[in-house]
Amino acid sequence: MARSRSSSSRWRYINPAYYLRRPKRLALVFIIFVCATLFVWDRHTLVREHEEEVSKLNEEVIHLQNLLEQLKNDNGVSGGKMKPSGKSSDVTKRKDTPDDPVSIRRRERVKEAMLHAWSSYEKYAWGHDELQPQSKTGVDSFGGLGATLIDSLDTLYIMGLKEQFQRAREWVANSLDFNKNYDASVFETNIRVVGGLLSAYDLSGDKIFLEKAKDIADRLLPAWDTPSGIPYNIINLAHGNPHNPGWTGGDSILADSGTEQLEFIVLSQRTGDPKYQEKVENVILQINKTFPDDGLLPIYINPNRGTSSYSTITFGAMGDSFYEYLLKVWIQGNKTEAVKPYREMWEKSMKGLLSLVRRTTPSSFAYVCEKIGSSLTDKMDELACFAPGMIALGASGYGPDESQKFLSLAEELAWTCYNFYQSTPTKLAGENYFFNSGQEMSVGTSWNILRPETVESLFYLWRLTGNKTYQEWGWNIFEAFEKNSRIESGYVGLKDVNTGVKDNMMQSFFLAETLKYFYLLYAPSSVIPLDEWVFNTEAHPLRIVSRQDQEGNLGRSDEHRKPIVRSRARKQGRFGDD
């Protein structure tokens, strides 16, 4: 009984009725409860403040590490793993290059975004072509060639992400296999895989990248075995058997056939084997035979006759990078006589482009129309937003008056492309825009798949003019991507830029192009200087090499073509479903 009474006596203290009959004790319990709550809340606040301080200190440590790395590079200290073999390239900041605190902070934010995208790919899709972030799975959009990995090599290198680059390099050396029974796009495989490997070689000097580039290029070569030399656009990587897609009616696509010149010329220069250059320069030779005075070509070209078929003329999808490469082959050849025909063709095309430019009222947004026959369509793809950067890059090759005219046009078009982003609720651009009478612009196809073209043009305009406005525009776009496209397992596009509904695909070009151009927009101009490097259409930088074949391969017979060089010190996306 005593134990029972003692137990009952103890349990009464947890009975609410006990305290209701004793107000003083109730007040005491309340005071104890409040004090305990305040103590716990204060501890949590201190922990949260401590975490914030630690986070800030970590950011500062990262910043100091980057500064230390830059100092090491300035003093000729090599990066060890970043230079597996051969002679690597110094793409870091040179001495005496100005760098402001805002740009440093923004560059680190972009680098962190790249790390988030890359680590998500590593975790969920390693070795696959692309990551589907929402389902956390890999997908082989390009036949299982590790497209995102290869596309990311030079971005990792430029950002100084050494461990990530080295892991990717080991995968290329030990796991990359091109012997796939897969019908690959010659264009996509070239710009992403051949271009990505060649860029990694030019940056690091590691011969494994050159060997792999030669392997895949050799598998693509039979595509050029046509009566005219205009390549088929599809080829089986294991068996050859080139052909064109059925939906083109047997024709080849202009951009797909005219966007291999840069990579294959570089491959001939690096290997000493002229066969790659010969194949791609023959394409330009054939096109130049009937090249129109306005330099504008329809998007379909017959691989048997080598002549254009009646179809749309556009600086957007399926036309864009043909015009881009006319300029960039001239630049990559160091603007010598040997590559002058490319510049001449490009200048004709720029005359044609001027005939496609219209402006809205009252805001006077300049845009580039599409054309079919003699009719103009008031439509412009976001893909065509590469044009402001291309025009700015080529403007310096004109005399003073023409140069200023084209630079001004580039700035006008960049303003329009920036407003493609600013005009939507998410501040991300749709796929294309229409310009109707009495309207400024209206989004047509409303998805966004993380495309880079506008950021690319902002990068060129900032580099070439020094106007920080382009950096501010770029930052607004970056913040919109961070707000709308970043999720826990990577970055996704939007099914609709008006509603913000997300898709399920992290395009490989987001790491290859979009994030690289963002990073370079806030990097010193001595990081990948434009007088030493030229970017392919997938943003892979390739070294400029002086072409000294004085007559130019475009004017010589096949048996006499040979790449004599002297070294000096746009794109399809896949819409992912949930």
Side-chain angles (χ1 to χ4, degrees):
M1 289 294 294
R3 289 181 60 186
S4 176
R5 282 197 299 270
S6 175
S7 176
S8 298
S9 176
R10 286 195 302 271
W11 282 105
R12 65 180 176 171
Y13 293 117
I14 64 173
N15 187 344
Y18 174 83
Y19 295 99
L20 291 174
R21 294 193 297 268
R22 296 167 178 80
K24 290 183 179 179
R25 294 195 178 187
L26 178 61
L28 179 62
V29 169
F30 179 73
I31 290 169
I32 292 171
F33 173 77
V34 170
C35 290
T37 300
L38 289 172
F39 177 80
V40 172
W41 178 82
D42 183 59
R43 293 299 95 189
H44 276 286
T45 301
L46 288 172
V47 169
R48 188 164 54 251
E49 289 176 352
H50 175 70
E51 289 174 345
E52 290 174 357
E53 287 297 320
V54 169
S55 177
K56 290 178 181 179
L57 287 171
N58 283 334
E59 290 178 2
E60 187 63 24
V61 167
I62 291 171
H63 171 54
L64 290 172
Q65 286 174 336
N66 286 331
L67 290 178
L68 178 60
E69 191 65 33
Q70 290 171 353
L71 287 171
K72 285 181 179 179
N73 285 321
D74 284 342
N75 287 301
V77 180
S78 68
K81 290 182 181 178
M82 291 297 284
K83 303 172 183 179
S85 67
K87 182 180 179 182
S88 66
S89 301
D90 181 10
V91 296
T92 55
K93 184 170 85 72
R94 297 172 182 164
K95 294 179 181 178
D96 304 321
T97 303
D99 201 7
D100 63 273
V102 173
S103 291
I104 291 171
R105 286 196 298 271
R106 289 177 174 179
R107 197 162 66 240
E108 289 304 314
R109 283 279 307 279
V110 176
K111 185 174 179 178
E112 188 278 328
M114 177 64 186
L115 274 171
H116 178 64
W118 175 258
S119 60
S120 298
Y121 170 77
E122 268 198 296
K123 184 174 182 179
Y124 301 114
W126 183 249
H128 290 285
D129 286 328
E130 291 176 310
L131 166 66
Q132 294 179 313
Q134 299 217 59
S135 56
K136 299 180 180 179
T137 55
V139 60
D140 289 331
S141 318
F142 303 102
L145 306 181
T148 292
L149 187 150
I150 296 173
D151 248 351
S152 300
L153 285 167
D154 51 12
T155 307
L156 295 171
Y157 193 100
I158 290 166
M159 292 186 181
L161 298 171
K162 299 181 180 181
E163 294 180 3
Q164 292 81 0
F165 178 86
Q166 187 64 18
R167 287 197 296 272
R169 185 263 178 205
E170 294 305 314
W171 185 90
V172 169
N174 300 317
S175 301
L176 179 57
D177 178 18
F178 296 127
N179 193 35
K180 308 280 188 181
N181 185 18
Y182 173 76
D183 285 352
S185 163
V186 175
F187 167 77
E188 297 288 356
T189 306
N190 173 66
I191 64 171
R192 298 175 195 242
V193 182
V194 180
L197 291 168
L198 286 173
S199 181
Y201 173 70
D202 274 3
L203 289 164
S204 71
D206 191 332
K207 290 184 178 180
I208 187 63
F209 298 123
L210 183 60
E211 292 168 6
K212 293 291 186 178
K214 186 177 183 300
D215 183 1
I216 185 62
D218 286 340
R219 295 172 185 272
L220 299 179
L221 275 179
W224 279 264
D225 294 338
T226 67
S228 68
I230 302 296
Y232 292 119
N233 298 153
I234 304 292
I235 192 166
N236 187 284
L237 295 179
H239 308 298
N241 305 324
H243 60 280
N244 278 333
W247 52 268
T248 67
D251 284 336
S252 298
I253 298 167
L254 177 64
D256 288 28
S257 304
T259 311
E260 289 84 21
Q261 284 67 30
L262 199 56
E263 295 82 1
F264 275 50
I265 289 170
V266 167
L267 185 57
S268 280
Q269 292 170 349
R270 305 301 183 264
T271 62
D273 189 338
K275 65 183 179 183
Y276 310 104
Q277 179 175 315
E278 289 171 357
K279 290 290 188 183
V280 296
E281 293 218 304
N282 182 57
V283 174
I284 303 303
L285 178 66
Q286 295 301 320
I287 290 175
N288 202 21
K289 288 178 180 177
T290 56
F291 202 56
D293 290 338
D294 66 2
L296 299 178
L297 293 177
I299 58 174
Y300 293 143
I301 184 168
N302 187 292
N304 296 312
R305 301 189 308 268
T307 56
S308 297
S309 302
Y310 184 81
S311 50
T312 302
I313 290 170
T314 178
F315 279 81
M318 298 193 286
D320 48 7
S321 50
F322 166 74
Y323 304 103
E324 176 187 359
Y325 271 34
L326 292 179
L327 175 69
K328 288 185 173 179
V329 172
W330 175 70
I331 293 172
Q332 196 278 330
N334 205 22
K335 308 175 184 178
T336 64
E337 282 296 311
V339 286
K340 187 178 179 181
Y342 287 96
R343 173 74 195 198
E344 292 170 344
M345 291 175 73
W346 182 78
E347 289 191 6
K348 282 186 179 181
S349 298
M350 291 306 96
K351 290 180 182 177
L353 181 143
L354 291 176
S355 72
L356 302 180
V357 174
R358 286 181 171 176
R359 291 172 175 81
T360 65
T361 54
S363 296
S364 195
F365 286 122
Y367 60 97
V368 182
C369 294
E370 295 183 348
K371 183 178 183 180
I372 184 162
S374 59
S375 300
L376 296 182
T377 303
D378 295 296
K379 169 182 172 285
M380 182 175 172
D381 290 348
E382 197 281 336
L383 278 166
C385 285
F386 86 97
M390 175 192 68
I391 294 167
L393 189 61
S396 62
Y398 290 104
D401 292 341
E402 285 289 285
S403 178
Q404 186 54 52
K405 179 180 77 173
F406 278 102
L407 183 58
S408 296
L409 175 61
E411 293 181 314
E412 283 189 84
L413 291 172
W415 170 241
T416 301
C417 291
Y418 175 60
N419 278 277
F420 284 175
Y421 285 80
Q422 293 301 294
S423 62
T424 72
T426 57
K427 306 300 182 187
L428 290 177
E431 184 75 354
N432 51 53
Y433 284 77
F434 289 89
F435 301 84
N436 301 311
S437 179
Q439 298 180 13
E440 296 294 4
M441 63 176 69
S442 59
V443 66
T445 304
S446 60
W447 68 58
N448 178 292
I449 57 172
L450 309 171
R451 288 201 186 277
E453 286 76 21
T454 297
V455 184
E456 173 185 354
S457 285
L458 297 179
F459 158 71
Y460 280 118
L461 283 164
W462 172 72
R463 277 282 181 97
L464 296 167
T465 69
N467 188 341
K468 289 183 176 291
T469 297
Y470 300 116
Q471 291 182 311
E472 297 306 314
W473 293 357
W475 193 247
N476 291 337
I477 295 172
F478 177 78
E479 294 279 43
F481 277 126
E482 287 291 290
K483 180 179 179 180
N484 295 282
S485 294
R486 180 168 177 151
I487 63 174
E488 175 267 334
S489 50
Y491 287 84
V492 294
L494 301 184
K495 292 183 176 181
D496 189 337
V497 295
N498 296 308
T499 64
V501 175
K502 295 173 172 57
D503 73 7
N504 187 27
M505 184 68 75
M506 186 170 76
Q507 307 283 345
S508 83
F509 55 66
F510 181 66
L511 292 80
E513 301 185 72
T514 311
L515 291 177
K516 183 187 287 116
Y517 282 129
F518 272 129
Y519 184 83
L520 293 173
L521 183 59
Y522 305 106
S525 58
S526 53
V527 179
I528 311 294
L530 296 180
D531 61 344
E532 295 180 13
W533 300 84
V534 63
F535 291 91
N536 87 334
T537 198
E538 190 80 0
H540 296 308
L542 301 167
R543 272 206 175 275
I544 290 172
V545 171
S546 291
R547 291 269 298 272
Q548 301 299 333
D549 39 336
Q550 294 298 331
E551 295 177 54
N553 281 0
L554 298 187
R556 301 169 68 182
S557 60
D558 288 349
E559 62 269 22
H560 291 107
R561 289 192 202 127
K562 183 179 180 182
I564 306 169
V565 299
R566 180 178 300 159
S567 296
R568 59 183 294 246
R570 245 22 60 213
K571 291 167 280 294
Q572 182 180 341
R574 281 163 172 74
F575 190 65
D577 297 325
D578 287 334

